Amino acid sequence: MDLSSLVATFGGAVWSGVFFIVAIAVIVAVHEYGHYIVGRWSGIHAEVFSLGFGPVIYSRVDKRGTQWQIAALPIGGYVKFLGDKDAASAPDQAVLSGLSAEERRHTMTGAPLWARAATVAAGPIFNFILALIVYIGLISYTGVATDAPVVGRVNASPFVGETIQPGDRILALNGTATPDVATFAEVASKLPATTTISYSIERDGKTLDVQGAHPFLPLVGAVMPRNAGGDAGIQVGDVIVQAGGIDVAAFTQLPALVEATQGQPIALKIWRNGEIIDLTLSPNRRDLPKDGGGFETRWMIGLSGGMLFEPQTRQPGPWETVTLAVDQAWFTAQSSLSALWHIVTGQISSCNLSGPVGMAEVMGDAASQGLFEFMGYLGMMSLGIGLLNLFPIPVLDGGHLVFYAYEAVFRRPPAPAVMNVLMLIGLMAVLSFMFFALGNDFTCK
């Protein structure tokens, strides 16, 4: 049984929480392992590696004297190094005072500055590495489209009659030549929104003319988690044949039809496996990034379009795969930081920020669509948590790195009293942020 079947069988609410916990456990384990392994390499001894907080459910001590444990509250985790008072790595002066100079070298307090900085930075860096590994895996699994517009697989549609087949090379659309994928996409985007398009194809060495649905027919290619389309019951593979009483032949017709509703419910007729289904959908207001920077507010239904056919793919080489993965990670990071900045400055709605309940719903919805989608959102979440931990806020990894930078410049750490005050302020800021995001989960939709 795959993930989508599991969610469908046992219901969404419970399994949203389960998949969220699974995702968080993986991300936290990778983050904390980064702290642990780089600390170990740097000569800093870890006393406890905990996945979760609270009462310990399972534990074992390895040959290096580190206790590996799983605790009852699965949201989070920590590494407690020698000489730490608690999970936040505050120094325990009572323990430190009883250690020899050699033993103090194996604590966070007594280790050289470079070792402490590397150990702290390793957590977010390992989150970035996890995201890249996920993106590399997804790109390797799907491949990339070939340069020529060759049909790999034809998606089901309401069109009846002889049409394109796997292996066909599309030479022209309505008489306009399509020598490569880029030209095909440009020509297809300019086609009239009609239910039938003429395809000139090359098949088995022969040139043929066949009919087919619009290349960008109103086929649902993806259902965005925690959005209107999923709430209405729309599924990947559905074809929207009518919206608000208006026949739809191309996906490009939908944005204008949805925007015209101004958030009012819109009646849809859906073609699904040869049957027509009536659904009603209520658009959500969303702030979306623009190509030139900034955001625009639009009414959205949380669907992305597919194509009549899946293009033939090729397996990219290692360097191309890594480059594409880095580009994806960079775009995700830029978009996330830009969105947060626009929320803080009031340029877009704070409802674009989700808390743990919203994130759980996203992971549950992603899992309901399959392992591929779940892994994609896991990579995105890992990247986001890595970025968040680098913010220069005391109690976060970025705050510790700021303290270390101060120490590097002034040759001494900040005064303990100052650090205590800053840590308290940082803790209050993080908790306030968390409660604000949690409130959005219940007040925003």
Side-chain angles (χ1 to χ4, degrees):
M1 181 178 288
D2 59 20
L3 286 183
S4 56
S5 300
L6 195 63
V7 174
T9 301
F10 295 102
V14 173
W15 285 99
S16 290
V18 169
F19 288 115
F20 174 65
I21 290 172
V22 169
I24 285 294
V26 171
I27 292 169
V28 168
V30 169
H31 180 97
E32 298 302 333
Y33 187 77
H35 290 317
Y36 162 78
I37 193 64
V38 173
R40 198 182 88 186
W41 291 341
S42 303
I44 303 172
H45 174 65
E47 292 188 319
V48 179
F49 185 109
S50 181
L51 189 58
F53 295 96
V56 176
I57 298 172
Y58 167 81
S59 69
R60 71 173 183 87
V61 178
D62 66 17
K63 62 182 181 181
R64 293 184 177 84
T66 300
Q67 178 174 309
W68 298 76
Q69 65 185 40
I70 298 174
L73 301 177
I75 307 301
Y78 62 92
V79 177
K80 181 178 178 294
F81 292 103
L82 176 65
D84 289 351
K85 182 187 299 183
D86 48 37
S89 292
D92 188 337
Q93 297 299 336
V95 172
L96 291 170
S97 61
L99 299 178
S100 66
E102 183 179 351
E103 290 171 330
R104 283 178 62 89
R105 169 59 182 84
H106 299 298
T107 68
M108 279 292 283
T109 303
L113 181 60
W114 67 265
R116 286 177 277 145
T119 299
V120 168
I125 290 172
F126 269 53
N127 282 138
F128 299 150
I129 292 172
L130 173 61
L132 284 176
I133 290 172
V134 169
Y135 291 149
I136 288 170
L138 296 179
I139 292 168
S140 299
Y141 176 77
T142 59
V144 295
T146 58
D147 293 333
V150 178
V151 178
R153 178 175 65 85
V154 182
N155 289 314
S157 77
F159 181 84
V160 178
E162 182 183 355
T163 186
I164 57 175
Q165 299 176 7
D168 290 348
R169 176 169 181 155
I170 299 175
L171 304 176
L173 296 171
N174 278 1
T176 303
T178 55
D180 52 45
V181 168
T183 305
F184 173 87
E186 182 180 358
V187 172
S189 67
K190 296 178 180 178
L191 289 172
T194 56
T195 55
T196 303
I197 299 294
S198 175
Y199 291 78
S200 296
I201 61 171
E202 181 183 308
R203 180 186 297 166
D204 299 328
K206 299 178 181 179
T207 300
L208 304 172
D209 289 322
V210 297
Q211 303 297 304
H214 195 288
F216 296 142
L217 75 167
L219 171 72
V220 177
V223 179
M224 301 298 108
R226 207 172 182 239
N227 249 300
D231 293 342
I234 297 177
Q235 301 175 9
V236 173
D238 287 350
V239 179
I240 301 171
V241 295
Q242 197 175 89
I246 299 174
D247 291 338
V248 180
F251 200 90
T252 52
Q253 294 175 265
L254 290 172
L257 293 174
V258 172
E259 196 66 29
T261 69
Q262 289 297 293
Q264 295 302 307
I266 181 170
L268 303 177
K269 287 190 179 295
I270 304 291
W271 180 91
R272 180 184 296 168
N273 299 325
E275 298 182 359
I276 298 296
I277 301 172
D278 291 308
L279 296 175
T280 300
L281 181 149
S282 298
N284 301 130
R285 200 164 184 83
R286 293 286 186 262
D287 296 304
L288 304 177
K290 297 189 295 186
D291 290 339
F295 285 76
E296 61 178 343
T297 302
R298 292 169 51 191
W299 291 101
M300 304 294 294
I301 57 178
L303 306 174
S304 62
M307 285 180 60
L308 175 60
F309 67 92
E310 304 295 333
Q312 192 177 75
T313 60
R314 61 178 176 81
Q315 196 63 36
W319 178 251
E320 183 181 5
T321 302
V322 172
T323 301
L324 291 171
V326 170
D327 288 343
Q328 177 63 44
W330 181 252
F331 173 79
T332 302
Q334 280 187 312
S335 300
S336 299
L337 293 174
S338 176
L340 187 58
W341 172 252
H342 281 75
I343 290 172
V344 170
T345 56
Q347 298 179 59
I348 62 175
S349 171
S350 61
C351 285
N352 289 276
L353 181 67
S354 295
V357 175
M359 293 168 68
E361 290 180 2
V362 167
M363 295 309 295
D365 288 348
S368 70
Q369 297 182 47
L371 181 61
F372 184 88
E373 287 75 13
F374 176 78
M375 292 302 297
Y377 277 92
L378 185 145
M380 189 184 305
M381 188 182 294
S382 181
L383 189 67
I385 288 176
L387 284 172
L388 183 63
N389 269 279
L390 283 180
F391 280 20
I393 300 173
V395 310
L396 296 181
D397 293 330
H400 287 287
L401 291 174
V402 170
F403 292 149
Y404 295 151
Y406 177 94
E407 184 177 346
V409 172
F410 294 100
R411 305 299 180 185
R412 54 182 169 77
V418 173
M419 287 192 63
N420 289 337
V421 171
L422 290 176
M423 292 290 278
L424 180 60
I425 293 173
L427 179 61
M428 295 302 295
V430 170
L431 290 176
S432 299
F433 178 84
M434 291 174 61
F435 282 116
F436 179 78
L438 181 61
N440 280 354
D441 291 338
F442 297 100
T443 59
C444 299
K445 188 60 180 174

